[in-house]
C-alpha cells in the first residue's frame, strides 16, 4: 500500500509547490518582497509547529497585494463614475441646447428648411 501512495504523495507535493511558486511569483512581480517559500516551509501550517518567518512574510505580502488591488479597484471605479457623470452632464447640456434651438426655431416662424 505504501508503494501505491508514493506517486500520489509526489503528485500532491508537486501541485502544492506549483501553487507556492505562483504565490511567490505574484508577490515578486508586484514588488512585494523576494521570498524563498517552499511546500516544505508550509508544513508548519498543518501541525503543532511554530510558524516560521517566511510564511508570515509571504502572508503579509499577500495582504499588502490585496490592499493595493482593492485600492486600485476603488480608484478605477471612482474614475469610471466621474467619467459617467461627465458624460451624462454633456448629454443633458446637448439635449437642453437642442430643445432651446428647436424652441427658438419655432418662435422664428416655424422650423428648419
Amino acid at each position: 500500500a505504501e508503494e501505491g501512495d508514493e506517486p500520489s504523495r509526489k503528485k500532491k507535493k508537486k501541485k502544492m509547490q506549483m501553487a507556492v511558486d505562483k504565490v511567490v511569483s505574484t508577490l515578486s512581480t508586484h514588488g512585494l518582497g523576494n521570498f524563498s517559500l517552499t511546500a516544505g516551509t508550509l508544513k508548519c501550517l498543518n501541525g503543532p509547529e511554530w510558524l516560521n518567518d517566511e510564511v508570515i512574510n509571504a502572508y503579509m505580502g499577500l495582504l499588502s497585494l490585496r490592499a493595493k488591488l482593492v485600492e486600485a479597484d476603488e480608484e478605477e471605479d471612482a474614475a469610471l463614475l466621474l467619467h459617467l457623470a461627465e458624460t451624462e452632464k454633456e448629454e443633458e447640456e446637448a439635449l437642453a441646447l437642442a430643445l432651446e434651438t428647436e424652441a427658438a426655431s419655432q418662435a422664428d416662424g416655424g422650423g428648419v428648411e
Side-chain angles (χ1 to χ4, degrees):
E2 256 181 56
E3 288 180 24
D5 291 340
E6 187 63 30
S8 177
R9 274 191 239 139
K10 284 183 179 180
K11 190 174 181 179
K12 285 181 184 178
K13 186 175 180 180
K14 184 176 180 179
K15 189 174 181 180
M16 186 173 183
Q17 186 60 53
M18 289 172 55
V20 169
D21 291 344
K22 185 174 181 179
V23 168
V24 170
S25 172
T26 300
L27 293 174
S28 296
T29 299
H30 290 280
L32 296 172
N34 189 10
F35 303 99
S36 59
L37 200 59
T38 65
T41 306
L42 295 177
K43 282 183 182 180
C44 67
L45 298 174
N46 286 332
E49 299 178 35
W50 289 88
L51 288 177
N52 65 33
D53 292 348
E54 289 96 10
V55 173
I56 294 170
N57 290 338
Y59 186 70
M60 295 303 291
L62 286 172
L63 291 177
S64 179
L65 175 60
R66 181 178 178 200
K68 284 184 178 186
L69 292 175
V70 167
E71 184 177 303
D73 282 347
E74 288 173 356
E75 288 175 7
E76 187 176 305
D77 290 347
L80 178 61
L81 289 174
L82 180 62
H83 173 72
L84 291 175
E86 289 172 352
T87 302
E88 186 176 333
K89 183 178 178 183
E90 289 170 1
E91 289 173 354
E92 287 174 356
E93 289 172 354
L95 180 60
L97 182 60
L99 291 174
E100 287 174 15
T101 303
E102 184 180 329
S105 174
Q106 288 178 355
D108 286 341
V112 179
E113 294 185 31

